Amino acid sequence: MRTERFALVCGAGGFIGSHLVSRLKSEGFWVRGVDIKKPEFSESTADEFVIGDLRNPLVCQKVLDRPFDEVYQLAADMGGAGYIFTKDHDADVMHNSATVNLNMVFYGQKAGVKKIFFSSSACIYAEYNQMDPDNPKCSEDSAYPAMPDSEYGWEKLFSERLYLSFRRNYGLNAKIARFHNVYGPEGAWDGGREKAPAALCRKVAQATDGGEIEMWGDGKQTRSFLYIDQCLDGVRRLMDSPDFNGPVNIGSEEMVTINQLAEMIMEIAGKKLRIHHIPGPLGVKGRKSDNKLIREKLRWEPTEPLSIGLGKTYRWIERQIVNQKGS
Ligand code: NAD
């Protein structure tokens, strides 16, 4: 019989963290979650849920007060372009997220955690490699010379180096993935922290057929999007790998323009809408995951087409809007 495995999920009240808790539970883990807030859209499935601020070293020590086989550090001060690229939140983003990572790596190492996962981001990649929307370069080895286009990206790069230095000097078994635009049900869909897929699903769901939606920029910038379940498949593969630690991209290679993304959502919704382009925060011109390394090292890459995940996300957001109107 398999002995019970213990996991700690930091950021368990967030989008990816709350889904990760459920995934770990379904795999038989005992799970403790920690966050400054509970998940917004459903009850956490964690065995224990601690409300606590991981910027506080005492909270970090407390949540690490028992042995853990796996720690997942996903807590971060983050949001979509409207949060990350306006420059209004830069000091908070850098200070809050770096403090959490400084605490968790230090106390995680002290507590003797067996493995720790850090969620980095595609935002670490250099802006100069992402100027051509048709040919963005995001292979793992292209991160340096570094020039991320946001302070969010710089903090992630700093924290990657932090975890790597604890691996080098203290033998901490740290594993790092660079997520590329993860989306799906139970993610932020309004309020300012939502990302493009959720924001466009909301706008399309709220529009009347034949009407119009607003979009930041000309919509010609390209991105790839990864459905939450596929993201978790990648994370679990990386954690289970005996000898590969990353940093590695976890993302899709299916690249679309933001205009195409909107068209796909309209098709799902069965609506014809005009797109009204307005000025707004944008980020780099082109970005997509490069999966050569993950294919080689983990013999895996996400395969589900964007249209499938978008369909599930659209229907969930549509239900949220109906519920909101009813309440
Ligand atoms: P999210 O904002 O939904 O989740 C982050 C969680 O961290 C939130 O619930 C927040 O309350 C919590 N948190 C923030 N500060 C905290 C603190 N001081 N103490 C305790 N908890 C705190 O974001 P997400 O989309 O679930 O992202 C999870 C991780 O993945 C983040 O580190 C993010 O930077 C990274 N990431 C996400 C994406 C994406 O597309 N969603 C892409 C790249 C990287």
Side-chain angles (χ1 to χ4, degrees):
M1 208 180 79
R2 210 166 178 178
T3 51
E4 196 168 20
R5 291 168 298 166
F6 295 87
L8 173 66
V9 177
C10 305
F15 165 52
I16 302 176
S18 58
H19 283 279
L20 176 62
V21 168
S22 299
R23 169 66 66 97
L24 293 169
K25 282 304 301 168
S26 73
E27 289 182 28
F29 279 82
W30 183 94
V31 183
R32 175 182 287 169
V34 55
D35 202 302
I36 44 176
K37 64 169 176 69
K38 290 216 161 159
E40 223 172 303
F41 305 107
S42 57
E43 277 292 311
S44 175
T45 51
D47 297 277
E48 262 181 38
F49 197 98
V50 179
I51 294 285
D53 188 333
L54 295 166
R55 290 173 303 177
N56 180 344
L58 295 175
V59 171
C60 296
Q61 283 167 277
K62 187 174 153 245
V63 296
L64 286 160
D65 69 355
R66 57 159 336 291
F68 281 107
D69 299 291
E70 302 192 1
V71 172
Y72 293 83
Q73 198 325 72
L74 292 104
D77 191 354
M78 69 99 65
Y83 191 75
I84 293 299
F85 298 122
T86 53
K87 300 202 175 292
D88 295 339
H89 310 282
D90 286 354
D92 286 347
V93 164
M94 292 200 96
H95 180 262
N96 293 340
S97 300
T99 307
V100 169
N101 284 312
L102 285 160
N103 283 340
M104 282 308 298
V105 77
F106 181 77
Y107 292 107
Q109 148 70 20
K110 256 184 121 168
V113 302
K114 295 202 181 121
K115 275 185 222 173
I116 185 163
F117 172 86
F118 170 59
S119 53
S120 183
S121 165
C123 289
I124 64 103
Y125 287 113
E127 187 173 18
Y128 57 79
N129 279 328
Q130 301 171 86
M131 304 301 264
D132 176 359
D134 298 324
N135 275 306
K137 186 173 178 188
C138 293
S139 53
E140 288 81 350
D141 60 2
S142 71
Y144 296 96
M147 191 47 76
D149 70 334
S150 64
E151 303 301 2
Y152 171 76
W154 279 108
E155 187 283 324
K156 289 291 189 194
L157 205 54
F158 162 77
S159 291
E160 281 193 4
R161 300 186 71 97
L162 177 70
Y163 285 89
L164 291 172
S165 64
F166 269 72
R167 164 176 284 284
R168 190 158 55 242
N169 296 157
Y170 296 114
L172 179 71
N173 192 2
K175 293 182 176 257
I176 302 172
R178 295 173 181 158
F179 292 159
H180 289 245
N181 292 313
V182 185
Y183 75 99
E186 305 200 358
W189 61 279
D190 71 354
R193 287 192 189 237
E194 66 278 19
K195 316 231 178 59
L200 288 171
C201 284
R202 184 196 69 230
K203 289 175 187 185
V204 169
Q206 287 173 332
T208 342
D209 196 15
E212 88 175 16
I213 54 165
E214 285 187 341
M215 181 189 286
W216 289 340
D218 62 11
K220 290 182 183 153
Q221 70 274 32
T222 52
R223 293 291 184 275
S224 71
F225 299 94
L226 183 66
Y227 190 67
I228 179 69
D229 294 357
Q230 304 244 292
C231 169
L232 297 179
D233 291 344
V235 171
R236 294 292 301 122
R237 285 231 169 202
L238 176 61
M239 282 301 259
D240 284 346
S241 168
D243 49 11
F244 179 61
N245 309 304
V248 66
N249 290 329
I250 296 189
S252 161
E253 287 188 339
E254 183 182 351
M255 187 169 79
V256 291
T257 65
I258 303 301
N259 285 326
Q260 285 167 337
L261 180 70
E263 298 290 344
M264 288 171 90
I265 297 170
M266 288 180 216
E267 188 155 329
I268 289 163
K271 292 183 185 178
K272 276 239 165 290
L273 305 166
R274 285 181 309 281
I275 302 176
H276 179 209
H277 299 280
I278 56 165
L282 292 178
V284 293
K285 297 245 165 53
R287 173 173 289 157
K288 101 172 150 84
S289 185
D290 180 325
N291 290 347
K292 187 166 171 282
L293 186 67
I294 201 164
R295 277 196 293 271
E296 194 181 298
K297 298 291 184 183
L298 299 180
R299 310 238 161 269
W300 177 88
E301 68 179 313
T303 47
E304 190 179 86
L306 174 60
S307 55
I308 304 286
L310 270 184
K312 294 183 246 187
T313 309
Y314 180 80
R315 283 186 288 278
W316 180 80
I317 291 180
E318 205 178 30
R319 280 201 303 279
Q320 303 313 300
I321 294 169
V322 172
N323 292 346
Q324 203 176 51
K325 275 188 191 149
S327 62

